[in-house]
Amino acid sequence: MRWLPLIFLLLTAVAVQAIENVAPFDDPAMQERYEHLVKELRCLVCQNESIADSNADLAADLRREVREMMIAGKTDAEIKAFMVDRYGEWILFRPRLLRQTWLLWFAPGILLLIGTIVAVRVVSQRARLYTDDPGDDPTGEPNA
Amino acid sequence: MQRFMGVLRFLLPAAVFAVLLRFLYVGLSLHPDVIPSPFIGKPAPALSLPTLHDETRTLSSTQFAGRPWLLNVWATWCVACREEHATLVEIARSKAVPMYGLDWKDDRGTALALLAQHGDPYDAVAFDAEGRVAIDWGVYGAPETFLIDADGTVVCKQIGPLDMDTWRSKFLPLISGAKKGPCT
């Protein structure tokens, strides 16, 4: 029984190691840029994982492309454009603000605004209910 | 006004509920695993690779210009491709359009053996050992089939196995000229 935690640790260590089988960049700044970039790109095979997290063959190929483009001196924007040209806007975890994506970006704000308006109206109506003359109660509910 | 507000009190939640139902219904018929290709209606990416049958020969898409052609992405490790294989053989027999294969990250010997055993529907097969050309074409899961028109524009893409019904309704009209691309 006391071996169980050890076995668990050994198994998870393998899972963590499995993702990256290439040597990290010598320059820590480059390595950081690389790690950031591969987290921004969606793996299209297992759609809720980034290519950094995915074990899929295609994710490994895309990581290789990112790495090679970085070595060739491409900027982050150029690398993302390369991916979008081939796989579409969807490969980016944070979609850019476009005509097709503005609703995605602003929907939370719009919904919050609608919610606030509704809440304010309901609260002010309830407040009026109690200050009004009980005889004029429009809801017709019996007064306590 | 009072009556109007009263009606609204019932209509508004009903309307919101109807919109919600509509969203849920549409959501049921979506296929999130099918990602539309950004190449539809755009010039086809370049393809230049050694062939599967002969490493020293190069297959280049510039040779295909002037008439429509199909590109089928497949591999022996891809189970759905085997399912699709008989359909491809049938399409090839109809000689409607030249069919080229892109063997994606595969083993040459296994691939040749499979074609020898189950029939070879391809006019030629490009061998993409490293998967670079597949990335250029935005391939993310085999099988995928592209239709390129005589001008070199990608007019249709099938993600997943092709069947005769899809072939007749989506691809054939574009090849015969009965319909103008891109397909929907």
Side-chain angles (χ1 to χ4, degrees):
Chain A
M1 229 16 210
R2 68 201 159 104
W3 290 105
L4 226 58
L6 182 66
I7 291 169
F8 175 76
L9 281 177
L10 283 172
L11 284 175
T12 48
V14 170
V16 170
Q17 284 239 308
I19 302 295
E20 208 56 84
N21 47 12
V22 274
F25 283 99
D26 289 333
D27 178 1
M30 281 279 267
Q31 181 65 21
E32 201 179 311
R33 248 188 81 200
Y34 170 76
E35 281 170 15
H36 179 73
L37 256 174
V38 290
K39 283 203 183 87
E40 294 269 302
L41 296 170
R42 188 192 297 274
C43 169
L44 292 103
V45 185
C46 25
Q47 301 182 347
N48 292 323
E49 281 187 310
S50 68
I51 62 167
D53 303 322
S54 176
N55 256 329
D57 231 28
L58 179 64
D61 285 1
L62 291 178
R63 287 197 299 268
R64 179 195 64 204
E65 293 290 323
V66 170
R67 174 175 288 271
E68 286 176 1
M69 279 189 277
M70 282 182 63
I71 291 167
K74 294 264 167 51
T75 66
D76 289 9
E78 282 170 330
I79 294 172
K80 282 186 189 169
F82 173 94
M83 294 295 173
V84 170
D85 283 349
R86 284 158 181 73
Y87 290 100
E89 205 55 41
W90 210 70
I91 196 168
L92 301 178
F93 264 120
R94 283 188 299 164
R96 296 175 297 187
L97 193 53
L98 297 170
R99 194 148 26 113
Q100 311 95 283
T101 58
W102 70 267
L103 194 62
L104 195 65
W105 275 94
F106 295 119
I110 295 170
L111 288 176
L112 186 68
L113 196 70
I114 294 173
T116 313
I117 293 170
V118 169
V120 166
R121 288 201 54 163
V122 167
V123 168
S124 68
Q125 263 175 10
R126 291 278 158 95
R128 214 181 312 140
L129 218 59
Y130 287 103
T131 52
D132 278 359
D133 181 1
D136 288 346
D137 190 350
T139 60
E141 279 162 7
N143 291 306
Chain B
M1 189 63 195
Q2 195 74 206
R3 264 189 62 194
F4 172 72
M5 289 303 282
V7 172
L8 202 66
R9 260 177 98 129
F10 288 103
L11 273 188
L12 203 65
V16 170
F17 184 64
V19 169
L20 210 66
L21 267 188
R22 176 84 195 138
F23 270 116
L24 289 174
Y25 181 75
V26 170
L28 280 178
S29 56
L30 291 180
H31 295 280
D33 50 327
V34 175
I35 304 159
S37 170
F39 289 112
I40 302 291
K42 298 223 182 90
L47 183 156
S48 184
L49 281 170
T51 66
L52 170 67
H53 294 81
D54 182 356
E55 252 180 285
T56 59
R57 269 195 52 214
T58 303
L59 187 69
S60 167
S61 56
T62 51
Q63 300 163 313
F64 314 149
R67 55 182 300 199
W69 55 286
L70 276 185
L71 182 70
N72 176 255
V73 184
W74 66 287
T76 52
W77 47 261
C78 150
V79 181
C81 299
R82 297 194 187 189
E83 206 180 291
E84 182 190 45
H85 199 84
T87 310
L88 296 181
V89 172
E90 195 180 334
I91 291 170
R93 212 174 285 141
S94 75
K95 299 206 185 307
V97 63
M99 187 190 296
Y100 297 95
L102 181 69
D103 191 10
W104 185 27
K105 301 191 71 161
D106 210 350
D107 175 73
R108 211 178 267 274
T110 322
L112 285 170
L114 185 135
L115 293 184
Q117 194 188 343
H118 296 284
D120 183 352
Y122 305 109
D123 290 85
V125 180
F127 189 69
D128 190 6
E130 292 186 312
R132 285 177 201 275
V133 170
I135 289 177
D136 280 342
W137 282 74
V139 169
Y140 66 91
E144 292 185 13
T145 308
F146 297 83
L147 174 63
I148 297 93
D149 73 5
D151 304 324
T153 305
V154 180
V155 285
C156 204
K157 179 183 181 185
Q158 167 75 14
I159 295 161
L162 198 59
D163 55 64
M164 284 318 278
D165 282 345
T166 316
W167 170 251
R168 285 194 202 98
S169 62
K170 266 172 84 177
F171 286 77
L172 262 186
L174 290 170
I175 296 163
S176 68
K179 257 202 270 180
K180 282 268 165 225
C183 72
T184 42

